Amino acid sequence: MPIKRAFHVLHEQGIPLAPLWDSDRQQFVGMLTPSDFISIIMEIGSQRALISEEELETHTIAAWKAEKYRLLDSAQRRVPFQYVGPDDTLKDAVKKLLHYHVTTVPVLYFAEGEGERPHILHLATLSSILSCLCRYFQHSLDLLPLLKHPVGSLPLGTWQNPSNGRLVVLGASMPFSTALRVLDQARVSSIPIVDENGSLIDVYAKSDITALAKDSIYAHVQLDQLSVEQALQLVHNGGLSGAAPVLRCQMCLRTDTLQHIMERLAMPGVRRVVCVEAGSKRVEGIITLSDVFKFLLF
């Protein structure tokens, strides 16, 4: 399938990623993710200021993946396609998601009598696993003292503190191309967006990139001339998430408990919680699903 068509399909279906099926090998061979689209847009955009639909039409998913792996330097290694089976534990799935730094692993079932042809039962994510755990143990959470600790006192999350990793934030007026470079190079899934006072106004996530597929916007704008604020407006006007800002931009305080954060992250559509200063809403840190699971498991 051409990248252009895949780009539009994901946007129209309101999904951020999809498994890739190789009809010749009769196997699932990988995932098409927002990171792929970010890399493609940046690569084509670096060669010419405007991205044409024709350029995306000539790039098939297979050709892009092959080129992507060819360009990996010696310090990087190709991550094989990851999946779990229906009999694997939730802990197995979480460890695989964290170890390979992927957001989703398919749950594959191999039926007897059909050779090696797999069937997808589900796409497992940290969000769906946390939601399951919170539902299953909803009456036991109050019995766990650890969950009553304020998140500001626990070693999880990324904070405005050099000893614990510098938190990346961007102003709403910054060029959108800067946000794409940060998402591509800093290995983060989202960036808190602040106003001129450093107060949180929104979050731009990797999954928001498919909003550029609406009306083929990617073919009509120059990334350096599009601001982060304008890119966010595209998302709010019918981009992938379609979520209200309250769900896109969940906030907390350092004094909030770990249980409170986990319950927030278990909400549909919530992937991260931004910690802000009371009153000013200045960004102090960010806590993601990965942060919570790494803290609980390791």
Side-chain angles (χ1 to χ4, degrees):
M1 179 183 289
I3 286 289
K4 171 189 170 183
R5 184 179 173 192
F7 202 4
H8 284 268
V9 166
L10 292 186
H11 169 70
E12 291 165 359
Q13 296 298 319
I15 54 177
L17 47 75
L20 295 175
W21 172 258
D22 188 321
S23 56
D24 293 331
R25 297 163 58 185
Q26 292 290 292
Q27 293 179 358
F28 291 102
V29 294
M31 302 287 291
L32 188 66
T33 71
S35 295
D36 290 314
F37 291 121
I38 290 174
S39 298
I40 289 167
I41 288 175
M42 290 182 64
E43 180 179 312
I44 300 178
S46 65
Q47 298 170 8
R48 195 165 66 195
L50 286 174
I51 301 172
S52 70
E53 292 190 75
E54 289 74 19
E55 285 174 302
L56 288 183
E57 188 71 68
T58 60
H59 285 68
T60 64
I61 297 173
W64 158 249
K65 288 289 189 180
E67 179 68 8
K68 175 182 176 182
Y69 295 135
R70 187 183 71 81
L71 294 175
L72 288 177
D73 59 45
S74 58
Q76 298 172 303
R77 61 188 180 92
R78 177 174 175 174
V79 177
F81 175 56
Q82 297 300 316
Y83 65 91
V84 293
D87 295 324
D88 289 332
T89 67
L90 293 181
K91 186 176 181 179
D92 292 334
V94 170
K95 284 188 171 182
K96 187 160 287 191
L97 287 163
L98 295 178
H99 178 75
Y100 290 101
H101 303 285
V102 293
T103 61
T104 305
V105 289
V107 181
L108 299 186
Y109 170 69
F110 295 85
E112 293 185 13
E114 295 188 27
E116 295 298 315
R117 184 185 177 98
H119 299 270
I120 285 190
L121 302 181
H122 184 65
L123 295 178
T125 65
L126 293 179
S127 176
S128 61
I129 292 172
L130 182 61
S131 297
C132 173
L133 292 176
C134 285
R135 287 195 307 271
Y136 192 81
F137 295 107
Q138 60 181 319
H139 301 300
S140 305
L141 294 178
D142 289 335
L143 303 178
L144 301 175
L146 175 64
L147 301 187
K148 298 303 180 182
H149 284 259
V151 289
S153 67
L154 300 173
L156 80 160
T158 304
W159 303 85
Q160 290 280 29
N161 183 341
S163 66
N164 196 25
R166 182 177 179 275
L167 178 67
V168 179
V169 299
L170 287 179
S173 60
M174 292 288 288
F176 180 55
S177 56
T178 300
L180 291 184
R181 281 194 294 272
V182 171
L183 290 171
D184 185 54
Q185 299 171 7
R187 295 191 72 174
V188 294
S189 61
S190 62
I191 308 169
I193 308 302
V194 299
D195 62 17
E196 60 276 6
N197 298 315
S199 300
L200 182 69
I201 56 176
D202 210 329
V203 171
Y204 193 88
K206 279 186 176 180
S207 57
D208 292 328
I209 191 66
T210 56
L212 294 179
K214 183 181 180 183
D215 301 323
S216 298
I217 292 172
Y218 56 81
H220 308 299
V221 300
Q222 291 180 310
L223 297 181
D224 285 331
Q225 296 181 2
L226 185 71
S227 70
V228 172
E229 184 177 20
Q230 290 170 321
L232 283 167
Q233 194 60 48
L234 296 175
V235 177
H236 291 303
N237 288 343
L240 169 67
S241 67
V246 67
L247 286 181
R248 286 181 49 82
C249 197
Q250 287 285 326
M251 293 179 286
C252 73
L253 302 176
R254 283 179 177 267
T255 54
D256 288 334
T257 66
L258 177 57
Q259 180 175 343
H260 176 74
I261 301 303
M262 290 174 58
E263 290 171 346
R264 287 283 188 89
L265 289 170
M267 295 169 59
V270 178
R271 301 292 182 269
R272 63 204 60 85
V273 178
V274 182
C275 185
V276 299
E277 182 182 65
S280 70
K281 290 175 59 177
R282 288 192 179 92
V283 176
E284 294 187 327
I286 187 168
I287 300 171
T288 67
L289 284 158
S290 295
D291 293 329
V292 170
F293 277 104
K294 286 177 183 176
F295 176 71
L296 294 176
L297 286 180
F298 307 111

